[in-house]
Amino acid sequence: MPQSSTSSKMDATAFLLLFVIFGARQSVSQDPLTTPGISLDEWSGVYVEGEMVTITCTVSGKYRDKTYYFYSEKEPLNSGQITTKNNIGTFPVTGTNQGGQYRCQYGISVKTRRLLSNISDAVTVTIADTLKTPRISPDQPSGVYLKGETVTITCTVAGDYRDKTFHFYRDRQRLYSHQIITKVNIGTFTVSRTDQGGSYHCQYGTSVNRRQFWSQPSAAVTVTIADPLTTPGISLDQRSGVYVEGEMVTITCTVSRKNRDQTYNFYREQKLLNSGQITTENNIGTFPVTGTNQGGRYYCQYGIYVKTRRLLSQRSKAATVNIADLPKPNISVDSSLIVKGGKVTFNCTTPGDHPGFTFYLYRYGEANYSDVQTAAARDNSVTFTVTNIDHTDGGNYTCLYKGDVRGRLRTSAESDPVHITVRDKSVALEAGVRSAVVLILILALLGVCFWKKGKCGNSREMRATAPPSDETNETLTYAVLNLQTKPRKVGGQRNIVRTFGEESTTTQW
């Protein structure tokens, strides 16, 4: 082959190779790989743990086959987590450690050459803590309230001190926010209307980089609005309220509306009576009065259980118990020895000021007490006179008195007894004769004494007035005439005038 022909073939081959290389370069340079864009499905870039994060790597231009690469903080992500479809690549975020900056890149193959685009700008993924489920609770643990009571429901969050907004729901209907007060981890809602019973739950929300997150709803609590308990009535078995020591007092506590399993409390003044002092059955309470110190004002109250809350009624009005203390009277008799056919007088007196009572005199006979006489006292004393006494009237006598104490008839204890003895007239006559004889003897002795005294006085007077010559020859007789003693007034003073015959003396005193 001529050398010129061989040289021409080599030049043609070289020219063709240069044309292909130049054409390929020219083709690549005419369609360079554009820098992809990157974006998040949540514009704020904030997610909570467990949420799916979708990162989109977008390429403009033709939809040629591409391979996408994602980087977290410049570290390539496992391609098994990436889903590629046309111009979009996605991957999920499942843990809090997957927050940070993310970029993407894509590549294509041109014949046997692998071409890669520039890396995109970064987007930031923030993984926020999962919001905890709050706890709801009413201020009354039982959830039972009386009409008119204020119900405070509290929504509590543990361990999350970010700014929060609380929402409350009643029967799945959201309640107005102006009724809610929020303070750090606690939100409270006040129920003041009687128709706001029902099922309540709450939830809270917080904002991270302008994204609002809401917790799961709390468990529900039930609020029950109950009617107030009616005030009971109280009464005593004695309408007057007057009792004597040792009597049984029955107090009745009456409720206008029957409630199941209601219990009662009884009070004396302001002190609760313990179970040892009072017996309760249904709506009746009883207790024994053992002393005057158990008088006073008594009240009652009842209670019922609604769920686990014990509701108590208002106390009743007062019922006053008066323990009557009528002391026994005193009795006296004018004589304990009475002649048959005569009379005897008894006097019965109360030791205190008890006017207006009726007194009774009793005699103790062989069988029982018999009513002898009844008299009403003007003051606090009465006199009984028993006439035409017989032997059957002898014995012990007592008295007592009865009267109205605060509308109830009360009876005192009996007095101590007094005893009278009835004797026949003959016995009494003998006693009278003996008494008369004794009296006559006493008068006789007094007369003798007065006579002797008068005789001695006359002898001395005669000796004082007779002349010496006549002293032994003449006997004088002295007579006391018209002996009187009577009072009269002299000069405003009381005087006693004694007159002896025709002479008188005046003594002032």
Side-chain angles (χ1 to χ4, degrees):
M1 181 178 291
Q3 186 175 2
S4 59
S5 177
T6 301
S7 176
S8 297
K9 289 181 180 180
M10 292 177 60
D11 291 338
T13 301
F15 177 78
L16 180 60
L17 180 60
L18 289 174
F19 177 79
V20 170
I21 293 172
F22 179 77
R25 288 181 178 178
Q26 184 67 27
S27 175
V28 172
S29 64
Q30 289 178 356
D31 190 14
L33 298 182
T34 59
T35 302
I38 191 170
S39 62
L40 302 170
D41 58 338
E42 170 55 52
W43 65 269
S44 65
V46 179
Y47 300 83
V48 294
E49 186 175 354
E51 277 191 314
M52 177 68 72
V53 180
T54 300
I55 302 176
T56 301
C57 193
T58 305
V59 180
S60 60
K62 297 178 180 181
Y63 293 97
R64 293 177 293 183
D65 291 336
K66 304 177 182 67
T67 302
Y68 290 89
Y69 306 95
F70 288 85
Y71 303 90
S72 174
E73 305 294 348
K74 298 183 179 181
E75 292 294 329
L77 298 176
N78 186 346
S79 59
Q81 296 176 282
I82 302 169
T83 301
T84 300
K85 185 177 180 180
N86 296 329
N87 286 355
I88 297 176
T90 60
F91 80 96
V93 173
T94 58
T96 56
N97 60 347
Q98 290 188 316
Q101 289 189 331
Y102 285 82
R103 295 176 175 83
C104 71
Q105 182 185 40
Y106 71 97
I108 61 173
S109 294
V110 179
K111 295 185 178 181
T112 58
R113 184 179 177 185
R114 186 69 178 165
L115 301 178
L116 293 174
S117 70
N118 292 324
I119 296 176
S120 68
D121 294 332
V123 291
T124 301
V125 171
T126 301
I127 307 298
D129 293 335
T130 304
L131 274 64
K132 300 178 180 179
T133 302
R135 181 174 57 87
I136 192 170
S137 60
D139 57 335
Q140 177 58 246
S142 66
V144 177
Y145 296 84
L146 293 174
K147 287 183 179 179
E149 286 186 320
T150 299
V151 183
T152 301
I153 301 176
T154 302
C155 190
T156 305
V157 180
D160 189 346
Y161 295 95
R162 293 173 292 189
D163 292 338
K164 304 173 186 65
T165 301
F166 288 90
H167 286 173
F168 287 83
Y169 302 84
R170 180 170 64 90
D171 297 331
R172 301 184 180 277
Q173 183 177 357
R174 182 178 168 183
L175 301 174
Y176 295 110
S177 60
H178 70 272
Q179 296 174 281
I180 301 169
I181 299 174
T182 301
K183 184 178 181 181
V184 190
N185 280 0
I186 296 177
T188 57
F189 173 75
T190 302
V191 178
S192 57
R193 299 203 327 255
T194 59
D195 61 347
Q196 289 192 317
S199 178
Y200 285 80
H201 67 271
C202 71
Q203 68 177 161
Y204 75 100
T206 187
S207 179
V208 180
N209 290 346
R210 295 179 295 174
R211 182 184 176 187
Q212 187 75 30
F213 292 95
W214 290 100
S215 69
Q216 292 295 316
S218 68
V221 294
T222 300
V223 170
T224 301
I225 308 296
D227 292 328
L229 274 62
T230 57
T231 302
I234 191 170
S235 60
L236 303 170
D237 56 336
Q238 291 288 352
R239 294 185 61 184
S240 64
V242 180
Y243 299 83
V244 294
E245 192 169 339
E247 273 192 309
M248 178 70 74
V249 179
T250 301
I251 303 178
T252 301
C253 192
T254 305
V255 181
S256 60
R257 185 175 60 192
K258 184 68 177 178
N259 300 284
R260 292 182 302 173
D261 301 327
Q262 59 193 16
T263 56
Y264 294 87
N265 294 331
F266 289 86
Y267 300 83
R268 184 168 67 84
E269 302 301 343
Q270 300 301 320
K271 184 178 181 181
L272 176 67
L273 298 178
N274 59 46
S275 57
Q277 293 176 282
I278 198 155
T279 302
T280 302
E281 183 177 355
N282 295 328
N283 62 336
I284 296 177
T286 61
F287 75 96
V289 173
T290 57
T292 56
N293 61 343
Q294 286 192 313
R297 292 174 299 178
Y298 284 79
Y299 307 84
C300 74
Q301 179 186 50
Y302 72 98
I304 62 172
Y305 278 97
V306 178
K307 294 184 178 179
T308 58
R309 183 182 178 186
R310 177 167 166 77
L311 302 178
L312 289 174
S313 70
Q314 296 292 321
R315 291 187 188 180
S316 68
K317 294 181 179 179
T320 301
V321 171
N322 293 286
I323 309 302
D325 185 16
L326 297 181
K328 67 181 180 180
N330 299 316
I331 190 171
S332 62
V333 63
D334 59 347
S335 176
S336 61
L337 182 63
I338 311 299
V339 177
K340 181 180 177 182
K343 66 178 181 179
V344 64
T345 299
F346 299 92
N347 183 266
C348 191
T349 305
T350 63
D353 183 15
H354 296 283
F357 287 107
T358 301
F359 288 77
Y360 297 82
L361 181 67
Y362 294 91
R363 181 186 64 83
Y364 183 77
E366 293 182 358
N368 51 25
Y369 279 87
S370 58
D371 191 358
V372 175
Q373 194 169 352
T374 303
R378 294 181 179 179
D379 298 317
N380 65 332
S381 177
V382 70
T383 298
F384 296 93
T385 301
V386 182
T387 61
N388 196 21
I389 293 294
D390 195 357
H391 287 294
T392 58
D393 294 323
N396 290 326
Y397 283 77
T398 61
C399 72
L400 57 80
Y401 60 100
K402 299 179 181 180
D404 183 274
V405 180
R406 297 181 182 271
R408 186 181 179 192
L409 182 64
R410 304 304 319 150
T411 302
S412 73
E414 290 188 44
S415 68
D416 295 330
V418 292
H419 184 82
I420 65 169
T421 302
V422 180
R423 292 192 176 185
D424 292 332
K425 290 183 179 180
S426 59
V427 176
L429 180 59
E430 291 176 0
V433 170
R434 286 196 297 271
S435 299
V437 171
V438 172
L439 180 61
I440 291 171
L441 291 175
I442 292 173
L443 291 175
L445 290 173
L446 288 174
V448 171
C449 291
F450 281 121
W451 179 80
K452 288 185 176 181
K453 182 178 180 181
K455 184 176 181 181
C456 293
N458 291 338
S459 298
R460 286 194 298 272
E461 186 176 354
M462 292 176 64
R463 286 195 298 271
T465 58
S469 62
D470 297 334
E471 184 176 353
T472 58
N473 298 320
E474 187 175 4
T475 301
L476 296 178
T477 301
Y478 178 82
V480 178
L481 302 175
N482 195 23
L483 179 62
Q484 299 181 33
T485 301
K486 64 179 181 179
R488 68 180 181 180
K489 288 189 177 181
V490 178
Q493 295 178 332
R494 188 178 181 186
N495 297 271
I496 295 178
V497 178
R498 296 183 178 89
T499 303
F500 298 91
E502 297 180 356
E503 296 180 355
S504 65
T505 60
T506 301
T507 303
Q508 295 184 356
W509 62 287

